[in-house]
Amino acid sequence: MAPQAYLDHAATTPMRDEAVEAMLPYLREEFGNPSGTHAPARRARRAVDEARDQLAEVLGCEPGEIVFTGGGTESDNAAVFGVIRRHGGVALCSAIEHHAVLEPVLAVGGRTVGVDGRGVLDVDALAAALSPDVRLVSVMLANNEVGSIQPLAEVAELVRHHAPDAVIHTDAVQALCWLDVARMTAAADLVSVSAHKFGGPKGVGALVVRQGVELEPLLLGGGQERERRSGTHNVAGIVGLAVAAASAGAERKLVVDRVAELRDRLADGIVQSVPGAVETGVPVAAGGAVRAHKVVSNCHLCFEGIESESLLFLLDRAGVSASAASSCASGAMATSHVLEAMGVAPPLANGSLRLTLGPTSTAAEVDHAIDVVRASVERLRRFA
Ligand code: PLP
């Protein structure tokens, strides 16, 4: 079989064995509904409570501040709509948010704040956009396309000063494997995470809602999650989420160094072997590429004169799984709003390639990807 390279960990990650193992009993014999009162229900309830404690530890919050959701998209929607429907006022977000934040912010008539060429929020522009009528500011912790890390502490300081009534939300969906989320989100009132980005199952996530922050719930019904999110708990999913979060948190320091080396080998390998390859948003200084503003898992490149779609097709045929902009349900290649906000010219942006590593990535995958990208770009240029 041809060598394979799964380099799309930002889209989703393989599940961790310990998360699968922990979930199995709740998919089989322990099927109780945690809202009930009998013994099976109480056992399911206990599993949810333990998962809540475990996740709270990783996220640096109180167990009671965790609201389990159906994933990152729901957490983001719950944050934006929840704040604006309860309090009114203006919503602001960075121009490079995931669509799960961007669309709700635009739907409530909100505005976006620009970023620099590295994909890092322009804090002066944020300061200028803030006013006392701003009630929500949403800035992600790490961007899903180019991996840029956002200056959340600085954002919080500005918001508390210029818009003291505003609630701060951060989408930390892409951060948990790579950053100290507990420390870096400490100043945020609302924090979104999603299990399938760190070795847990799809369709389950959480929103941290700090004590005292009031939200209008997105889902009404049985009043689960202390009236903050109705719906029968996804017990197995919640258990898998918490176990995966604990593992990802525990191994983070070890994994980060190894993956940083692999990412640098990948990015340097492609830039050196493919003429005209540009590493998106990465300045080049005397010592080489400067990637300190990015999560270590992200390698983003643009190739002038190449269509992303054709490149992805050839990569896939050679066993390299990658993506261009963030993956979207339609599979359609829309121009990336992130690259546009960073000022990447359209001819370059149309030839974008996102390669994202994970804790399971290997040097063999990286070397295979370098060879395949080089050969594929050469081939597309030959036939252009
Ligand atoms: N936010 C970010 C930054 C993401 O990368 C994603 C998924 O790609 C989401 C939100 C949506 O999460 P989910 O797939 O769990 O709905």
Side-chain angles (χ1 to χ4, degrees):
M1 209 172 88
Q4 303 287 311
Y6 181 77
L7 292 172
D8 204 11
H9 286 257
T12 198
T13 55
M15 274 195 65
R16 290 167 186 271
D17 289 342
E18 61 274 25
V20 174
E21 290 300 320
M23 289 172 73
L24 284 177
Y26 299 96
L27 294 168
R28 291 185 178 137
E29 63 272 23
E30 294 294 354
F31 56 83
N33 183 332
S35 299
T37 54
H38 46 61
R42 291 199 305 274
R43 288 199 297 274
R45 177 85 205 177
R46 201 171 314 127
V48 171
D49 287 344
E50 282 171 16
R52 200 184 300 283
D53 291 346
Q54 207 171 9
L55 183 62
E57 176 97 26
V58 179
L59 298 181
C61 64
E62 293 299 320
E65 294 176 329
I66 288 188
V67 177
F68 288 116
T69 67
T73 301
E74 184 189 321
S75 298
D76 289 345
N77 274 258
V80 177
F81 287 122
V83 170
I84 298 301
R85 285 177 186 162
R86 173 64 64 99
H87 303 286
V90 173
L92 294 181
C93 71
S94 86
I96 58 163
E97 293 301 309
H98 189 275
H99 285 291
V101 167
L102 199 54
E103 300 303 325
V105 165
L106 297 178
V108 298
R111 302 194 300 266
T112 63
V113 177
V115 296
D116 65 17
R118 300 169 307 157
V120 177
L121 186 79
D122 178 346
V123 283
D124 293 333
L126 174 66
L130 288 169
S131 59
D133 61 343
V134 171
R135 290 308 298 260
L136 175 84
V137 177
S138 184
V139 176
M140 66 203 323
L141 185 50
N143 178 263
N144 46 297
E145 285 186 40
V146 295
S148 50
I149 302 165
Q150 304 304 315
L152 262 194
E154 221 176 317
V155 167
E157 228 181 279
L158 283 173
V159 172
R160 301 297 182 223
H161 189 250
H162 297 288
D165 291 334
V167 171
I168 299 172
H169 168 245
T170 189
D171 175 338
V173 164
Q174 290 289 343
L176 206 130
C177 289
W178 315 115
L179 301 174
D180 183 349
V181 170
R183 182 179 60 78
M184 295 178 80
T185 64
D189 303 301
L190 302 170
V191 183
S192 299
V193 295
S194 173
H196 75 105
K197 307 293 188 181
F198 49 82
K202 293 170 184 61
V204 60
L207 179 67
V208 175
V209 181
R210 303 264 188 233
Q211 217 166 359
V213 176
E214 290 191 3
L215 297 182
E216 204 63 28
L218 206 57
L219 300 180
L220 302 175
Q224 286 90 343
E225 295 295 274
R226 300 201 341 232
E227 308 283 342
R228 295 169 299 182
R229 198 274 189 183
S230 287
T232 300
H233 291 96
N234 172 2
V235 181
I238 287 168
V239 167
L241 166 111
V243 169
S247 293
E251 72 176 24
R252 184 173 53 81
K253 286 198 180 112
L254 282 177
V255 167
V256 160
D257 288 344
R258 197 178 65 78
V259 170
E261 243 172 68
L262 288 177
R263 188 274 313 272
D264 291 349
R265 174 176 173 148
L266 177 64
D268 292 339
I270 294 175
V271 168
Q272 284 158 17
S273 65
V274 183
V278 177
E279 210 183 337
T280 321
V282 171
V284 180
V290 181
R291 304 184 181 113
H293 63 288
K294 287 167 64 107
V295 286
V296 297
S297 52
N298 181 287
C299 170
H300 194 287
L301 302 139
C302 290
F303 305 93
E304 186 144 14
I306 297 285
E307 288 287 332
S308 294
E309 214 167 342
S310 317
L311 180 58
L312 290 177
F313 176 76
L314 292 184
L315 262 54
D316 186 32
R317 270 206 338 196
V320 176
S321 308
S323 68
S326 59
S327 52
C328 75
S330 66
M333 294 287 167
T335 308
S336 155
H337 67 285
V338 175
L339 299 185
E340 197 180 329
M342 289 166 66
V344 178
L348 257 188
N350 291 339
S352 69
L353 175 66
R354 181 185 76 171
L355 300 163
T356 48
L357 297 95
T360 52
S361 297
T362 63
E365 285 182 294
V366 163
D367 292 343
H368 178 56
I370 295 170
D371 287 346
V372 171
V373 170
R374 181 180 20 78
S376 304
V377 172
E378 259 172 29
R379 177 150 182 219
L380 290 170
R381 286 200 172 133
R382 222 174 318 124
F383 291 110

